[in-house]
Amino acid sequence: MSYILALEKDSDIVNEFIYGDTELAATVFVRKYQKFVYSTTLRFVQNYEDADDIAQEVFIKAIENIKKFRSESSLRTWLYRITTNQCTNFTRKKRFFSFFSKDSDNDEYFDIPASDYTPHQTIENKEFEARFQKMLSQLPEKQRETFALRYFDEMPYEEISKMLGTSVGGLKANYFQAVQKLALLLKKEG
Amino acid sequence: MNNNELNKKLSYKQMQESLPDYVFGRLSPEEQAVFESSLPAFPDLQDEVSQVREVFSKVETMDFDRVIEAKTRNLSVRVNDRLNKRKKAGAYAWSMKYAVPTVAVVILFAYMFINKNEINPPQKIHGQITESDPNSANPLNYLSKADAELIFGDGINLDDLHSLYSNNSMGNSLNDIVTLVSDDDKAIDNIYYESLQLKNFKSNDLNSLYNTDGNSMNGIYNELEKLDESEIQSLIEDVKNARI
């Protein structure tokens, strides 16, 4: 267990994949980035089941190619690119097949697990979280991603810039506009 | 923090860009101080700060992480399981990826080979099956000397026939054979039948030499093609016993 905790840096994880125990390295790798990958996927596909499936595929793809990782960017930036590509492919396929299917499973997105609140508070919080996620999904992709990566993941602008391919000044402008729009939507909600 | 830094004023654009981080408490103490010292110069941004703080107060109390944590519980185990299954399936998938097309190509070639043999079925002459060889259009492959002399008549012998067939130009060989044969129509018909077995058969060569209408020719072709090995043998016997 202590050895697992020792694998903190990205370089240690990559070395463990190349020279050490692959399964151990995979466990550490997934645990370190699972929230990041899953939340990113969820923003794109807005469905828990699909997000879970895609997140697994993202990690498998990353693990299969990690020996080719060249440390030109951080592991997180590299993972983000894999995640967005997988989400884009999934969305395309889903759009194609949804033409033949009338099922709509968007309601699952609002199935948020219960917490320590009272039942009334829990329902209220559930509904608010669902409404907020929906507002977030209404933003343009760049603004949504900038907001999420800065607000939820607390990433530095320089790293977000590498992920999204936008300048730091542009990201700050995107962030401000996203917050402005969300504030307007939240105000309308009352 | 020194006075110079405190006195630094931010532009309107810089204030806008720093506003969200200021509202959500993500600025360093120094940056926060600079922002607050510049804010009074921009009343609309002051309103903006108040509004955003108010509407986001509920968002700030939400625990979005809780959902994500619940959903990603044991994700590492599931990823490892899927990875192991893929590795086991890998060998099978590899063989399916390459074996199936290979087998399909082999079947296709086998089918083409079988079909090719059906066009040139083996010939049975004098009780012996002889594989027809279209590349070797030599009557010696499927006619005995006696039978060849009977079929082609007195005006030609096997040696002449052999020397003609060893000529590469089959069209010319067929013309040459016909000139050597008597005017007996039966002989020409029989030549035509034999030539059906030859590679690069040119029907026009014999059609032009056979002065009859197309129906008769077609009728003969059809009849000849219907004959099997026993009927040919019977025909040869009849020719042997014929008295002209």
Side-chain angles (χ1 to χ4, degrees), chain A residues 52-53 57 113 150-151, chain B residues 21 60 66 78 80 82 86:
Chain A
D52 184 71
D53 192 48
E57 287 299 320
R150 183 70 180 167
Y151 183 80
Chain B
D21 286 333
E60 291 276 89
R66 180 173 46 81
R78 283 180 274 137
N80 271 321
R82 207 183 259 209
R86 289 262 171 99

Side-chain angles (χ1 to χ4, degrees), chain B residues 89-105:
Chain B
Y92 173 75
W94 186 92
S95 65
M96 290 305 287
K97 190 178 170 186
Y98 294 106
V100 169
T102 305
V103 166
V105 167

Side-chain angles (χ1 to χ4, degrees), chain B residues 6 28 56 70 76 86 90 112 118 137 140 143 157 159 168 170 172 182-183 199:
Chain B
L6 276 171
S28 66
F56 266 87
S76 60
R86 289 262 171 99
M112 282 165 62
E118 279 174 4
L140 293 174
L143 283 179
N157 61 38
D159 294 328
N168 283 333
M170 288 309 304
N172 292 336
S182 66
D183 288 338
K199 189 183 175 182

Side-chain angles (χ1 to χ4, degrees), chain B residues 182-214:
Chain B
S182 66
D183 288 338
D184 187 349
D185 288 348
K186 196 180 257 185
I188 292 173
D189 292 346
N190 288 328
I191 290 168
Y192 187 80
Y193 173 74
E194 294 303 330
S195 70
L196 285 175
Q197 311 304 316
L198 300 174
K199 189 183 175 182
N200 297 326
F201 165 66
K202 293 180 185 179
S203 63
N204 290 338
D205 293 324
L206 285 174
N207 279 349
S208 62
L209 293 165
Y210 197 90
N211 294 322
T212 182
D213 59 274

Side-chain angles (χ1 to χ4, degrees), chain A residues 110-123:
Chain A
F110 308 120
D111 183 22
I112 297 164
S115 65
D116 297 326
Y117 295 106
T118 64
H120 178 70
Q121 282 173 326
T122 303
I123 292 168

